[in-house]
Every structure is written in C-alpha cells, then in structure tokens.
Amino acid sequence: MKNRHLACPLAVVTALALAGCGMLPGGGGTQTVRIWLMRDSASQEFLDRFTKAHEDEHDGVRLEVTIQEWTGIGKKVTEAIKGPGGPDVIEVGNTQVAQYADTGKLYDLTLESVRDLGSEDWLPGLAEPGRIGGTQYGIPWYAANRIVIYHKDLFRAAGIDKPPATRAAWLADTEKLNRNGSQGIYLAGQDWYTLSGFIWDEGGELAVEKGGAWTGALDSPAARRGMAFYKELQSLGSGPKDADEQNPPQADVFAKGDVAQLVAAPSAVAAILKANPGLKDKLGYFPIPGAVAGRPCAVFTGGSDLIIPENAPRRAAALDVVKALAGEKWQTELARAMGYVPNKKGLAPAVAGQEATAVMAEGAARGRATPNSPQWADVEADNPIKPYMTAVLRGEDPAEAARRASAEITETLAE
C-alpha cells in the first residue's frame, strides 16, 4: 500500500504543502471539486439535491459536475488520469476499473474503503472488479442486473400461480406455457451476459488467472454445463440463434403480448410499455432461478464505481464526495430515484416498495462481473463468446466450439 498519508509531513505545515495535498481551498477561499459522471446515471434533481447538501455541510467546497457520454469515454478518462490536474472524482463502468488501474494512475482507496465505507457488505459484482491485486481502486456506486419479466395473464392462463424457484421448475413452467399457446420465453441466441450467469452458477468461469496469466475457460466441464442449460432454455422460444438481444430489440418482441417471459434488466420495462401501454398492470418479476430453491442464479452485475486519479488536485475533498455518494443516505436516495440496486446488500430494503428493483436486488447479492483483466475490453470488442453460442445452438460439437472460443479468449488476454 502506498504511503499516501506521508505525502505532506506534519513538520511542514505550509500553505504550499497543504495545497499540494488538496487540503486548502482554491482561489477566492473556495476549492472546487471537479466530478465526471456519465449520462443518465443520476437525474438532475438528484444531483441538485446532493450538490446543495454537500456544499452546505462542507464550508469552502464547491462541486462542479460534468456529464460525460459513454461513447469514447475510455480514451478520455485515460488521457485525464495520465495528464496533469485531471478531474477529482470519475464515475466509470465497474468492468472498466482494471484498464484504468493498469495505467498506474489511480489513487489507492483501500484504507478508506475498509475503514469508512463498510466494504464487507458491498455487492460483489461492484466490489470485485474495483479491486486489483488486493488494492481497491474503485468504490461501488450503483448496480443493475437481469431478472425475469413475465406476463401475468399468460402465466395465469397456463395454470401457473407462482414464479418458479429452481431452474428445473423454470424449464417445466416454460414448457407448460408453450403448450398453452404462448411463446414460453424469448431468449436471443447470443445473450452472453445471461449465459455468464449460468456458467457461474455451475461453478465455471469465462476466464481464469494463474501466475499473472489469463486463460479462457469456456471449455471447462462446469462452463459447458452452463451452456447446455442455456441451449435447453433457449430452445423453448423462437429467439434467433445468431443474434443478440438487441437484434431485434427484445423489449419490442415481448411488447407484442404473446411472449410469456423475458430475461432483461428492469430498465426494459419502459421500452415495453412505450410499445404497448396495455401491459402496464400485467407485468410481474422474479429473480433468475438457480439450481436450488432459495438461491437465485448468479447474474452479471452492471453498474458503476467511483475512482479518484492520482493527479486529483483536491484529493481530500474528493474523498469526502466519494464517501458521501457511497454512503447510506445518498445510496438510498439514488436507488429510489433511479431504480438502481444500492451498493450494499444490507441496503436492499431501501427499494422494497419498487417491485422490479427489489427483485433485482435479490439477484444482485449473487452478482459477478467479467474477468478482471485490463484486456477484457478487447475480448468484448470482437467477442468470441457470441459465435460460440451460435455454434452450440446450431448443433456443432459443444466441446470443440468451447475449446476454439477459449483459445481465442486466451490469445486476446495475452496481448
């Protein structure tokens, strides 16, 4: 761990030394903390309330929030953390922390996260990708993950009076829905995030790290069992075998009204209701079932972490902002305002009154993230998992298809 607290010796209590640690107000008696947040991560109303409250509680501090676009953000953040005097706090995707940490330009937040932020209760899908080599660089901010959205009327018509609690029951109910004349489920053939959950639930991995080297792991017996379940579930609907959930947009397919189930994040509900407002009171939700009752399936957790660059001009004030945004009060308010899962499992009751979000929080307790390699973004850029899934769904030898995809992942992660 870096000796960051020794950077300004107590014996040298000069204005210059304190300013170098980000401890003194800036010009005019006020220090400005520059914050980069992503488009649509928080509403303007939430940001206005947070800004006013934080400034009222911290004399001489002003917050300057700049909204960034996701397109091209990787290059922009990398340039900012490598250059002089970048922003003080940056929101990044949870799976992006590794690539920024690889620059060696992020501030070590390990001590602060353990001491003040209750890290033992963080959602694993946010905490784990923020931790590189035992060092915490990213502080969990908010999460979202997939659940099952279902059509209540179609369930009722098929004689199903409660959601399935296990994967076996899920398959049986989906077959029953098909027999009753509806499409039991719509699942695109290349929805690799959903596949990841099945692989993790079986004890498999997308890739594994040993001695600093990453190796693709889709060809392990556990990972192949996850793919086998995906194939069985996907065959119970008419989803394309060679396209992902955006082609066509699966929310539009579900909105037609004859599909009983969809695996998606609750954010899909807005698109469903826009296409078919008549479904407003007909939607229900349940966690993706796991192998055993009472234990939802592992799920991919999307969301954001907060990082502080080494070059942050106002580091001490930046830490105050991160601790506030990641603390119980503002986590609760953000989750309720935006329909997110709070960053701690213990805060799940905060969204108990929001049905879809509460179901999402139940699954998030078993959330995971993609392999914590700086090169994983390159794997996704030319994603070999998608053609692997299509190959298996079309009847190719699963072992050979998995071996081929794993080799491609290994090659990319080694670059």
Side-chain angles (χ1 to χ4, degrees):
M1 188 182 298
K2 300 179 180 66
N3 292 323
R4 56 192 178 282
H5 296 296
L6 302 181
C8 293
L10 294 177
V12 189
V13 188
T14 66
L16 179 61
L18 288 173
C21 283
M23 297 292 289
L24 279 184
T30 299
Q31 56 178 330
T32 298
V33 180
R34 296 169 58 209
I35 305 166
W36 283 9
L37 298 180
M38 302 308 301
R39 173 74 61 192
D40 298 327
S41 285
S43 66
Q44 189 59 52
E45 189 271 340
F46 171 87
L47 293 176
D48 289 344
R49 287 193 294 110
F50 174 77
T51 298
K52 182 179 187 308
H54 194 83
E55 291 178 350
D56 288 347
E57 294 168 6
H58 297 79
D59 291 340
V61 171
R62 186 176 77 87
L63 304 187
E64 179 185 284
V65 178
T66 302
I67 302 301
Q68 304 290 341
E69 303 294 339
W70 284 107
T71 302
I73 192 60
K75 180 179 179 182
K76 189 169 186 177
V77 171
T78 299
E79 291 175 349
I81 63 180
K82 285 184 175 181
D88 300 287
V89 178
I90 306 176
E91 174 197 352
V92 300
N94 59 327
T95 61
Q96 296 175 335
V97 178
Q99 70 184 79
Y100 300 134
D102 197 48
T103 66
K105 299 297 184 180
L106 297 189
Y107 182 56
D108 179 354
L109 293 162
T110 307
L111 183 58
E112 282 78 9
S113 68
V114 172
R115 182 181 61 196
D116 296 328
L117 296 176
S119 57
E120 69 284 347
D121 195 37
W122 280 341
L123 295 177
L126 295 180
E128 290 170 6
R131 187 182 308 115
I132 315 296
T135 299
Q136 195 77 41
Y137 292 108
I139 302 299
W141 192 26
Y142 67 83
N145 51 268
R146 286 159 176 76
I147 62 174
V148 181
I149 302 171
Y150 72 97
H151 193 310
K152 292 179 180 179
D153 286 358
L154 298 182
F155 265 56
R156 190 178 301 112
I160 303 171
D161 57 4
K162 63 180 179 180
T166 66
R167 289 201 326 222
W170 193 17
L171 292 174
D173 284 350
T174 304
E175 291 173 343
K176 186 182 295 186
L177 288 159
N178 282 335
R179 290 194 299 270
N180 200 57
S182 63
Q183 183 180 172
I185 190 168
Y186 181 88
L187 181 61
Q190 295 183 346
D191 185 353
W192 71 277
Y193 284 123
T194 295
L195 169 64
S196 299
F198 298 151
I199 289 174
W200 293 325
D201 212 46
E202 289 287 347
E205 299 290 346
L206 303 180
V208 293
E209 186 267 338
K210 186 176 181 180
W214 285 90
T215 304
L218 293 176
D219 53 345
S220 72
R224 286 174 53 197
R225 288 195 300 271
M227 182 65 223
F229 177 79
Y230 189 98
K231 181 179 182 180
E232 187 173 7
L233 182 66
Q234 201 269 343
S235 71
L236 298 178
S238 61
K241 292 178 169 56
D242 59 353
D244 61 22
E245 61 272 29
Q246 299 301 322
N247 299 285
Q250 62 177 2
D252 291 346
V253 176
F254 186 88
K256 293 177 181 178
D258 61 349
V259 175
Q261 300 175 93
L262 187 69
V263 179
S267 56
V269 172
I272 291 170
L273 296 181
K274 181 178 180 181
N276 186 353
L279 292 177
K280 185 176 187 303
D281 298 318
K282 299 179 180 181
L283 302 182
Y285 316 94
F286 60 88
I288 298 175
V292 297
R295 191 169 184 258
C297 185
V299 289
F300 168 76
T301 302
S304 289
D305 282 19
L306 300 171
I307 61 173
I308 296 178
E310 282 277 13
N311 64 6
R314 306 296 181 188
R315 189 181 297 165
L319 278 169
D320 289 338
V321 171
V322 169
K323 290 175 182 178
L325 286 172
E328 181 173 346
K329 172 180 169 55
W330 292 105
Q331 276 294 295
T332 298
E333 297 213 14
L334 181 67
R336 289 174 176 168
M338 303 300 295
Y340 295 144
V341 178
N343 64 2
K344 291 182 182 179
K345 290 176 280 189
L347 292 178
V351 293
Q354 299 171 305
E355 184 183 0
T357 307
V359 168
M360 186 166 60
E362 188 176 347
R366 298 201 65 230
R368 294 281 304 275
T370 50
N372 215 0
S373 163
Q375 280 73 45
W376 185 258
D378 297 329
V379 173
E380 293 190 24
D382 190 23
N383 198 329
I385 304 176
K386 290 186 173 185
Y388 156 65
M389 297 172 72
T390 296
V392 175
L393 295 177
R394 286 179 170 171
E396 293 188 29
D397 178 46
E400 173 57 26
R403 185 204 61 76
R404 188 167 61 243
S406 293
E408 291 184 45
I409 292 173
T410 299
E411 182 178 357
T412 302
L413 295 180
E415 292 175 356

